[in-house]
Amino acid sequence: MLTLTSVWTTILLAAAVALGPLATDMYLPALPQIGSDFGTGTDQVQLTLSLYMVGFALAQLICGPLADRFGRKPIMIGGFVLFAIASIGCALATNIETLMLCRFLQALGGSAGPVLGRAAIRDIYTPREAARILAILASIMALAPAIAPTIGGFLVAGLGWSSIFLVLGGYALVMAVVVAFGIPEPMRPEYRQPLKLCSLLRNYRSIGTDISFLGYTLTNALIFSGLFAFLSGSSFVLIDFLGVAPEHFGLFFACMVAGFITGNLSAVRLGSKLLPDQILVRGLVIAVAGGGLMAGLALAGVYNVWAVILPQTLFMLGTGMVLPQTMAGAMANFPRMAGSASALFGFAQMAVAAGAGILVGHLHDGTSLVMAVVIAVCACAALASYLLLVQRHPAAGFEPQGASAP
């Protein structure tokens, strides 16, 4: 059994959290083929992504409080087992409706990794340390979306899209064993919360009315929505519109992930020189520049692979700087309710992202225009949210207000 502060514990937590992005990114090259096999349109196929996000969001509101009562490990293990069972259902689906249902169930189990991974980091580290650790964790995690679309593309080309879900189910079972026997329980026994509806509602009210939490959470949700807008539309834009082969889709996707990793590592390096909020603002400005550039090129009628990938790489560089700071900032004031805070944070993130994905799916015009405009709007809204809800309120800031670190 590893120690909580071991680098291997951080790596294993990253591997557990990575199940979430794996379940979307490995699946992306399969979307056009699924639509063809089931005879459905882009909007219905994209709905399997958005329903996953909705299920992911709702489940976090449940697994966070459960983890605050029973600990992080048992809830995470149960979530991985449910994910594996639902993945088998996805692989065996014979119509789009069954696939949607199984994707929703898959999300209920998959949510345990990200929400409890964030909570575990808050259990172990102080808020400022957590920002640095989350940036490192995000860099490790980013290896998953860097290779997942490539693996998914080859699986689709060689074995069909159902093989993707079998691989995901196997990964979930491995992670259940790893968490059970490799990682200690990070939650302090004295921090356990009663599992009562009135206590739960009181906790959520306390968290949801905290100005720092609101500001950082909305900023995160909006910038993440820009990322999800790309995930929702990229396979249709790159494969169907621009003619990229499914097995080569991951290679272009890796450029975007390289930008995200660069942003994460930049945040780690800048952490010793700048305050987290200063890193956050710089990341938001870069993300706005990337989203604006993509939208500008699309509006000008410039349609090619690099007019999408290069601006998105710039957007992801900024996103890589923003996400760890907003995660740590949102939970800074809640060391005793880290599971519930992480759950509410994740719910907002996924709910807003699902809306952006549905928007891209329904308005998709066969080009990159709709996707690009949604990404740009999300980036601008994220910057506006931070400036209005965090910087304009003296009580809102990164350092915890009246909450001591564990």
Side-chain angles (χ1 to χ4, degrees), residues 81-317:
V81 172
L82 175 58
F83 181 96
I85 294 171
S87 295
I88 295 172
C90 289
L92 299 176
T94 56
N95 55 64
I96 195 68
E97 291 79 15
T98 302
L99 182 60
M100 287 180 184
L101 174 61
C102 291
R103 283 286 285 173
F104 183 81
L105 295 175
Q106 192 185 45
L108 298 184
S111 67
V115 68
L116 300 184
R118 288 192 299 264
I121 294 298
R122 182 63 186 93
D123 291 333
I124 300 168
Y125 299 99
T126 64
R128 188 159 185 176
E129 290 171 336
R132 181 178 61 85
I133 297 299
L134 283 167
I136 295 172
L137 185 145
S139 297
I140 299 170
M141 265 181 59
L143 295 175
I147 62 174
T150 301
I151 295 173
F154 281 107
L155 286 173
V156 170
L159 300 173
W161 59 265
S162 60
S163 63
I164 293 175
F165 293 107
L166 297 177
V167 171
L168 288 172
Y171 182 90
L173 290 177
V174 170
M175 289 314 306
V177 174
V178 167
V179 171
F181 299 104
I183 301 175
E185 172 58 57
M187 185 182 184
R188 296 185 180 189
E190 64 269 25
Y191 281 4
R192 292 182 185 265
Q193 300 288 317
L195 193 61
K196 297 179 181 178
L197 181 60
C198 58
S199 298
L200 175 60
L201 294 177
R202 184 168 57 248
N203 288 348
Y204 276 143
R205 180 181 178 183
S206 174
I207 296 165
T209 54
D210 182 272
I211 192 65
S212 283
F213 178 85
L214 289 173
Y216 288 116
T217 298
L218 186 56
T219 301
N220 178 285
L222 288 166
I223 206 73
F224 185 80
S225 294
L227 165 58
F228 190 69
F230 179 79
L231 296 180
S232 297
S234 58
S235 59
F236 297 105
V237 170
L238 294 179
I239 296 174
D240 285 349
F241 176 52
L242 298 175
V244 173
E247 59 268 30
H248 298 153
F249 175 83
L251 301 177
F252 292 104
F253 200 85
C255 296
M256 180 201 74
V257 175
F260 185 72
I261 294 175
T262 301
N264 289 150
L265 297 178
S266 298
V268 173
R269 288 183 60 86
L270 291 172
S272 60
K273 302 176 183 178
L274 301 175
L275 295 173
D277 281 306
Q278 293 173 318
I279 300 171
L280 174 55
V281 170
R282 286 164 171 76
L284 286 170
V285 171
I286 293 172
V288 169
L293 177 60
M294 189 193 300
L297 289 171
L299 288 168
V302 179
Y303 294 124
N304 61 67
V305 171
W306 295 112
V308 173
I309 294 299
L310 292 181
Q312 183 64 18
T313 300
L314 184 61
F315 173 86
M316 290 303 296
L317 191 154

Side-chain angles (χ1 to χ4, degrees), residues 9-29:
T9 298
T10 302
I11 292 173
L12 290 178
L13 284 173
V17 174
L19 185 62
L22 278 174
T24 53
D25 298 335
M26 190 180 291
Y27 173 61
L28 295 178

